[in-house]
Amino acid sequence: MNWLIEFFSDPANWSGSSGIPVRLLEHLEFTLAALLPAALIAIPLGLLIGHTGRGALIVVVSANLARALPTLGLLVLIVLLLGTATVLPVLIPLVVLAIPPILVNTYEGIRGVDHDLRDAAYGMGLRGPQVLVRVLVPVALPLILLGLRLAAIQVVATATVASYVSLGGLGRYIIDGLATKDYPSVVGGSVLVGGFALAMQGLFALADRLLVSPGVSRRVRTAKIR
Amino acid sequence: MDEEPLVRWDWIARNWSTGRVGSISSLLVDHIVMSGLPIVLGLLAALPIGLACVRWRRLYQPTAGVMNVIYALPSLPVFMFLLPLTGLTKATVIIPLTFYAVAVLIPAVVDGMTAIPDHVRQSAVAMGFNPLRRLLQVDLVLAMPVVLAGLRVVAVSSISLVSVGALIGQGGLGNLFTDAFKRDFPTPAVVGIALIVALALVADGALVFLQRMLTPWARVRRSA
């Protein structure tokens, strides 16, 4: 507890390039820089595979492989091979590891939509792409958001570990603190990373409330047909 | 001779089993222990908690909330919080991994149990099964496939997560990653990744095999 007070009350930790505001912003930057490309790749691909039913094997294999790959090893290897002249090499594993959870959940979400619902949409005269956008996506949205949330958890954790291979962000306090036996910095950094991760969780819970149709999330009971 | 190769095979041969701490084989054993314990302990903890959540439904919502929060916490900071209590020991890595395992397995237990059709339970009662025997011989057996699916996720992610412990010197094969980085020498990193992925595949395959052995009825239905 004393370590925490020491860390957060030190004015040196609040300004400059290694101050908390800068580090926090860096962490947010890395998280978004990994999550956005991952989502742009994984969501369309998941929609396509879920809707057409082709290529489902890719989804399963990529999900298992991504879970098995050790993030620290991947980061170390890529930095040893490509160097740290730019941030880009470190971002590659972050993006790669964020894709599978989004892909799997988007795919499962689309695939899991009630067949009667899909048939009804076709029966009402909607075409394939229209069915996808107007019916399948809204119904699958909770799972798509879950995929994004799991990917975000993964990215925040990996970005923290990536400080070991010289990435900035909140992980720096932990890695540098460990190296110099500065425990206030280690504990303070840990609290910041934990808080950051939980704030992300909260954001996704909020998105779930705002974006998912009340009928889908069962917040509103639909009238019973007699 | 100027370019450093991705893998130096002679390094692997020399360091596989030196009998000293830090040889690849001893790291492999450490890794199996450090990832195996959370899987077993996690299952032992998740079973009673999950069953309690099935029995008293109102427990499930708050439990799931707490587990969601635990699951969202990145491993490295959690190791750091434990550091003052457990020091630079294996426990610092094993304890958080056990919590992650519990967080994944509780929903698996609850989903597996609630998916059992009511008429199956009623048949068991009608056949004179007392509650304990019904739990052991009917409910848990039928919930097994879902629990094992959760266990596969836990096993694979535990095996890969242990390596983060290398940042406090307790990462099993993950120690090869820090070693590679400090010496600017890719071979240990490649060996570590390959062994960890192989270990994960073996564990996953073993659990698939176990599932097939324990659910003979699913095989019959598929071949019929």
Side-chain angles (χ1 to χ4, degrees), chain A residues 58-74:
Chain A
I58 303 173
V59 178
V60 179
V61 171
S62 82
N64 281 338
L65 200 64
R67 230 180 261 126
L69 279 174
T71 54
L72 181 63
L74 223 53

Side-chain angles (χ1 to χ4, degrees), chain B residues 110-199:
Chain B
V110 172
D111 290 346
M113 292 289 290
T114 45
I116 299 170
D118 210 38
H119 59 86
V120 174
R121 277 214 191 94
Q122 287 172 8
S123 317
V125 174
M127 285 172 72
F129 280 58
N130 65 35
L132 183 68
R133 228 182 114 207
R134 201 191 75 195
L135 176 72
L136 294 177
Q137 297 188 339
V138 180
D139 292 356
L140 282 180
V141 175
L142 289 176
M144 187 110 62
V146 184
V147 176
L148 278 177
L151 211 56
R152 285 174 64 191
V153 173
V154 168
V156 173
S157 48
S158 289
I159 288 169
S160 86
L161 263 179
V162 165
S163 57
V164 175
L167 298 178
I168 55 163
Q170 293 289 351
L173 292 166
N175 288 7
L176 293 172
F177 302 147
T178 45
D179 187 37
F181 189 68
K182 279 177 200 149
R183 296 200 281 155
D184 194 9
F185 176 40
T187 303
V190 176
V191 173
I193 293 174
L195 284 177
I196 287 172
V197 171
L199 204 57

Side-chain angles (χ1 to χ4, degrees), chain A:
Chain A
M1 212 56 207
N2 288 332
W3 286 337
L4 271 182
I5 296 166
E6 195 183 326
F7 177 76
F8 285 106
S9 63
D10 186 350
N13 282 332
W14 287 98
S15 60
S17 64
S18 64
I20 294 169
V22 176
R23 292 289 186 219
L24 202 64
L25 212 63
E26 280 176 350
H27 214 82
L28 191 64
E29 263 174 41
F30 298 139
T31 307
L32 292 180
L35 216 50
L36 282 180
L40 285 178
I41 297 168
I43 292 180
L45 200 60
L47 293 179
L48 192 73
I49 297 174
H51 193 41
T52 60
R54 277 181 218 149
L57 193 68
I58 303 173
V59 178
V60 179
V61 171
S62 82
N64 281 338
L65 200 64
R67 230 180 261 126
L69 279 174
T71 54
L72 181 63
L74 223 53
L75 287 164
V76 164
L77 188 63
I78 206 149
V79 163
L80 287 184
L81 297 180
L82 300 179
T84 52
T86 62
V87 160
L88 205 63
V90 184
L91 277 181
I92 297 170
L94 263 81
V95 174
V96 169
L97 291 170
I99 289 176
I102 308 176
L103 183 63
V104 172
N105 284 289
T106 306
Y107 163 75
E108 290 288 351
I110 296 293
R111 206 187 54 136
V113 174
D114 195 340
H115 277 279
D116 292 347
L117 202 62
R118 193 187 284 225
D119 291 344
Y122 280 114
M124 286 172 74
L126 297 186
R127 291 166 196 285
Q130 288 176 317
V131 173
L132 184 66
V133 174
R134 294 200 207 159
V135 179
L136 300 186
V137 171
V139 175
L141 197 58
L143 267 180
I144 298 175
L145 285 172
L146 174 72
L148 284 169
R149 185 162 66 91
L150 293 175
I153 290 173
Q154 166 89 51
V155 167
V156 171
T158 310
T160 313
V161 173
S163 290
Y164 179 71
V165 292
S166 79
L167 191 73
L170 295 171
R172 282 254 67 87
Y173 293 119
I174 301 176
I175 302 291
D176 295 345
L178 276 177
T180 56
K181 299 213 185 306
D182 177 2
Y183 288 106
S185 164
V186 171
V187 175
S190 299
V191 168
L192 286 171
V193 174
F196 188 88
L198 293 183
M200 288 290 271
Q201 281 279 88
L203 220 58
F204 276 102
L206 192 69
D208 215 77
R209 290 232 121 197
L210 294 179
L211 299 177
V212 176
S213 149
V216 173
S217 64
R218 305 254 169 88
R219 263 174 289 145
V220 179
R221 272 181 183 273
T222 41
K224 251 190 202 146
I225 301 162
R226 287 164 204 273

Side-chain angles (χ1 to χ4, degrees), chain A residues 146 149-150 153 201, chain B residues 38-39 41-47 49-50 53 60-73 94-111 146-147 149-151 153-155 157-158 161:
Chain A
L146 174 72
R149 185 162 66 91
L150 293 175
I153 290 173
Q201 281 279 88
Chain B
I39 301 169
L41 295 176
L43 184 63
L44 289 179
L47 268 179
I49 301 174
C53 287
Y60 187 43
Q61 204 66 12
T63 311
V66 172
M67 290 303 142
N68 259 338
V69 168
I70 289 176
Y71 192 74
L73 291 174
I94 292 171
I95 294 168
L97 291 189
T98 304
F99 274 95
Y100 291 140
V102 173
V104 175
L105 287 174
I106 288 178
V109 172
V110 172
D111 290 346
V146 184
V147 176
L151 211 56
V153 173
V154 168
S157 48
S158 289
L161 263 179

